Amino acid sequence: MVSHRTTAGPAPEVAALPAVAASSAGPAVTPPGSSTSRSPSSAPLPPRGWRHRLFHVERRAAPYAYVAPFFLVFGAFGLFPLVYTAWISLHDYQLGSDMSWIGLDNYRWLFTNPLFYNALWTTFTIGVISTVPQLLLALGLAHLLNYSMRVRTFFRVSMIMPYATSVAASTLVFAQLFGRDNGFANWILSWFGIGAIDWRNGNWTAQIAISIIVTWRWTGYNALIYLAGMQSISQDLYEAAAIDGASRWQQFRHVTLPGLRPTILFTIVVSTIGATQLFGEPLLFGNGVPDGGAVHQYQTIGLFMYQQGWQYLQLGKAASVAWVTFLLIVVLVLVNTTLARWRTRSER
């Protein structure tokens, strides 16, 4: 009994001695090669399996896979037609026949054709007399819709209704309104003693009628864009201007217009591109004939290209018109952007 109590009793005290001795003598030294001497960073990594490699490839390729559908669609329906149209413009190509290389002859024909310059001037005039009033009206409507009023939501929704109407329906209705004999426009003008106007066969009258159709259709769309831009302007600026005694008109000039400058530039660029591509309204206004009137008084670039390609079946010439139109749009966008940046820098 005595011997058993001697060997079993003091054992915990003896096991604690090395720890006490180590703490008193300094840090314990572990023998090299033991498992506790290796840091976690120097430990050998486990072999990477196929799951890890697959995850690595997926992480790198996923962003490209997400954006690939857009570039595939753009390449098929945007880039390839653009390049192929340039290729066709260098050939004599009639629909149903083989292409023959003629170099720049289609462009020489185009730049010596008076009908091309007539179409170019008509596109410019219709674009100006439709875009300028359209954007001014849209700006005024957006300014009114930005105030609190009753049934404001109804007015905002009604702004988009002309845009939702098809080009064919709106143009056919306006063609009836601008009729010479029983048109609504001539009936209104008769109240002021003005005789019946032959809107379709006149030079400026036909262009004004087409411009009114374009203005009616796109004013509400641009008004909603301006309204969205106005709502992004801080109300603190309006409150500070009101405290300083600024009227509504002064707030519009000195707060709203500077805040809307990027939005205005966007609508100018988009409207310029749309005016250059004007096609449906003049075509339907002339009963589906691409001549643009008896003396081509409202034949735009779009109608001129359509006439060469699908009335005369000269696809090579039509392709040259398409490429010149494309370059014209690029130049106009660059001019608009440069003027806007120059104005911004001059005001700083």
Side-chain angles (χ1 to χ4, degrees):
M1 291 296 291
V2 174
S3 61
H4 175 74
R5 190 181 299 118
T6 304
T7 56
E13 298 178 1
V14 172
L17 286 177
V20 173
S23 61
S24 59
V29 178
T30 56
S34 63
S35 59
T36 56
S37 63
R38 296 174 181 175
S39 62
S41 60
S42 62
L45 297 175
R48 296 178 177 178
W50 63 273
R51 289 179 181 274
H52 179 81
R53 291 193 294 271
L54 181 61
F55 175 75
H56 182 70
V57 172
E58 179 185 0
R59 187 176 58 181
R60 286 182 173 274
Y64 300 99
Y66 290 145
V67 300
F70 165 76
F71 286 101
L72 290 176
V73 174
F74 174 74
F77 299 101
L79 187 60
F80 173 73
L82 192 66
V83 176
Y84 191 63
T85 302
W87 177 251
I88 291 178
S89 68
L90 302 175
H91 293 77
D92 181 14
Y93 180 37
Q94 295 187 3
L95 195 63
S97 63
D98 296 331
M99 292 191 297
S100 59
W101 175 267
I102 58 173
L104 298 176
D105 285 352
N106 284 329
Y107 293 95
R108 295 191 188 94
W109 163 84
L110 181 63
F111 290 117
T112 57
N113 193 338
L115 291 179
F116 167 70
Y117 294 101
N118 174 74
L120 194 64
W121 174 251
T122 303
T123 303
F124 173 76
T125 54
I126 294 179
V128 170
I129 61 179
S130 63
T131 300
V132 175
Q134 174 192 142
L135 296 183
L136 291 178
L137 286 173
L139 198 59
L141 288 173
H143 183 67
L144 293 177
L145 292 175
N146 198 28
Y147 288 111
S148 299
M149 62 176 68
R150 293 182 178 178
V151 293
R152 183 174 58 178
T153 304
F154 169 77
F155 288 118
R156 290 180 177 180
V157 173
S158 63
M159 287 292 105
I160 203 64
M161 295 305 292
Y163 175 72
T165 307
S166 68
V167 179
S170 59
T171 305
L172 292 177
V173 169
F174 273 92
Q176 296 297 321
L177 295 178
F178 287 108
R180 184 189 61 182
D181 298 328
N182 300 314
F184 180 78
N186 282 338
W187 180 63
I188 295 294
L189 293 176
S190 65
W191 295 355
F192 304 95
I194 301 175
I197 297 176
D198 192 357
W199 294 91
R200 188 169 296 169
N201 292 322
N203 187 10
W204 285 102
T205 55
Q207 295 185 19
I208 290 173
I210 294 172
S211 301
I212 290 174
I213 300 172
V214 176
T215 302
W216 176 83
R217 190 161 183 267
W218 289 96
T219 298
Y221 174 82
N222 288 313
L224 292 182
I225 293 178
Y226 286 146
L227 179 61
M230 288 178 183
Q231 292 181 345
S232 65
I233 300 175
S234 175
Q235 292 297 321
D236 296 339
L237 299 176
Y238 290 102
E239 293 176 1
I243 292 173
D244 291 338
S247 63
R248 292 289 179 88
W249 171 246
Q250 290 173 329
Q251 293 178 22
F252 177 75
R253 285 185 54 195
H254 301 290
V255 178
T256 303
L257 286 183
L260 275 183
R261 188 166 298 159
T263 308
I264 293 174
L265 175 62
F266 170 76
T267 55
I268 290 175
V269 171
V270 173
S271 300
T272 303
I273 296 174
T276 310
Q277 298 175 340
L278 193 61
F279 175 75
E281 289 86 352
L283 178 68
L284 295 173
F285 188 73
N287 295 324
V289 179
D291 293 337
V295 291
H296 309 288
Q297 65 268 25
Y298 54 90
Q299 188 182 46
T300 60
I301 286 287
L303 284 183
F304 182 68
M305 179 178 62
Y306 177 82
Q307 186 181 40
Q308 298 301 321
W310 301 108
Q311 187 176 11
Y312 302 150
L313 305 181
Q314 298 287 341
L315 295 184
K317 294 178 179 178
S320 65
V321 179
W323 251 93
V324 170
T325 305
F326 169 72
L327 295 177
L328 180 65
I329 291 174
V330 172
V331 170
L332 290 175
V333 171
L334 290 177
V335 169
N336 282 331
T337 306
T338 304
L339 289 176
R341 289 181 178 178
W342 172 77
R343 181 176 176 81
T344 303
R345 290 177 182 175
S346 63
E347 292 181 353
R348 286 178 179 175

